[in-house]
């Protein structure tokens, strides 16, 4: 899927959303939301736009992973024929007409094949783009940054290591 999207090196979740949007001919919006409860993110497809909502409290790699995970569901065409329960929609989006919802996908269990596929995709995308000694770890204490750099050297991308 990464190759199909033309991604073979570092990218951002914003760029991934742009690539998917162009490929599918449908806009994709990434939106922070304050009331997701236990969900970190989910995708909802309306008639004319796909929107990935994520918990506004997320930051750094966790935020990028959640968005990449939801974008993976879009890329792979995961989803359900049913719409999200009207009471859930009314709670999360009081101004949204539930009849406009085409389909939605809220993160459920990691044991499902689609969840595993989305997790692997998100992890691969972030591994291509990760620079653990740079911006993501800059605010951590020096000893934590050194440990993270050691882990990255041990488990890092061979593609990146070969450059």
């Amino acid at each position: 899927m990464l190759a199909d999207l033309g991604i073979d090196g570092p990218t951002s979740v914003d760029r991934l959303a742009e690539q998917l949007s162009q490929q599918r001919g449908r806009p994709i919006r990434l939106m922070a939301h304050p009331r997701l409860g236990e969900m970190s993110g989910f995708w909802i497809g309306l008639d004319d736009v796909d929107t990935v909502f994520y918990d506004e409290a997320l930051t750094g790699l966790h935020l990028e992973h959640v968005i990449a995970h939801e974008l993976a569901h879009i890329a792979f065409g995961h989803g359900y024929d049913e719409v999200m329960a009207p009471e859930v929609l009314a709670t999360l989006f009081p101004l949204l007409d539930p009849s406009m919802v085409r389909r939605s996908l809220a993160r459920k269990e990691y044991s499902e094949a689609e969840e595993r596929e989305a997790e692997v995709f998100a992890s691969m995308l972030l591994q291509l783009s990760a620079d653990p000694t740079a911006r993501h770890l800059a605010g951590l204490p020096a000893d934590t940054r050194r440990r993270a750099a050691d882990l990255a050297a041990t488990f890092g991308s061979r593609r990146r290591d070969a450059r």
Side-chain angles (χ1 to χ4, degrees):
M1 182 56 70
L2 288 169
D4 288 349
L5 291 168
I7 297 170
D8 63 355
T11 192
S12 68
V13 291
D14 292 319
R15 182 67 187 133
L16 174 60
E18 288 172 22
Q19 292 284 105
L20 273 171
S21 181
Q22 289 173 2
Q23 183 184 59
R24 298 172 72 242
R26 281 175 62 83
I28 296 173
R29 288 188 296 200
L30 307 177
M31 297 187 69
H33 198 288
R35 296 184 308 237
L36 294 186
E38 292 185 21
M39 293 186 292
S40 3
F42 70 92
W43 154 45
I44 188 168
L46 300 174
D47 287 335
D48 58 350
V49 65
D50 288 302
T51 304
V52 170
F53 291 95
Y54 56 88
D55 184 332
E56 71 178 4
L58 298 177
T59 59
L61 283 175
H62 189 194
L63 171 63
E64 291 178 29
H65 185 88
V66 167
I67 293 171
H69 175 102
E70 300 306 327
L71 291 172
H73 284 305
I74 295 172
F76 286 103
H78 297 163
Y80 306 109
D81 293 331
E82 313 94 42
V83 297
M84 185 177 280
E87 62 274 10
V88 174
L89 282 174
T91 300
L92 293 173
F93 312 104
L95 302 177
L96 180 65
D97 177 1
S99 67
M100 293 177 53
V101 177
R102 193 166 55 87
R103 67 181 185 183
S104 64
L105 189 62
R107 179 173 290 171
K108 291 169 64 173
E109 298 175 14
Y110 290 116
S111 62
E112 296 175 12
E114 290 179 343
E115 287 298 315
R116 286 191 307 269
E117 189 170 47
E119 280 297 298
V120 169
F121 179 91
S123 296
M124 290 176 69
L125 179 79
L126 294 181
Q127 184 177 0
L128 276 174
S129 302
D131 182 358
T133 59
R135 63 185 169 104
H136 297 297
L137 301 178
L140 296 176
D143 62 326
T144 303
R145 283 196 312 270
R146 279 192 299 277
R147 288 183 195 142
D150 290 344
L151 286 170
T154 302
F155 299 107
S157 166
R158 290 182 187 189
R159 170 185 231 140
R160 190 171 52 248
D161 295 343
R163 288 183 197 160

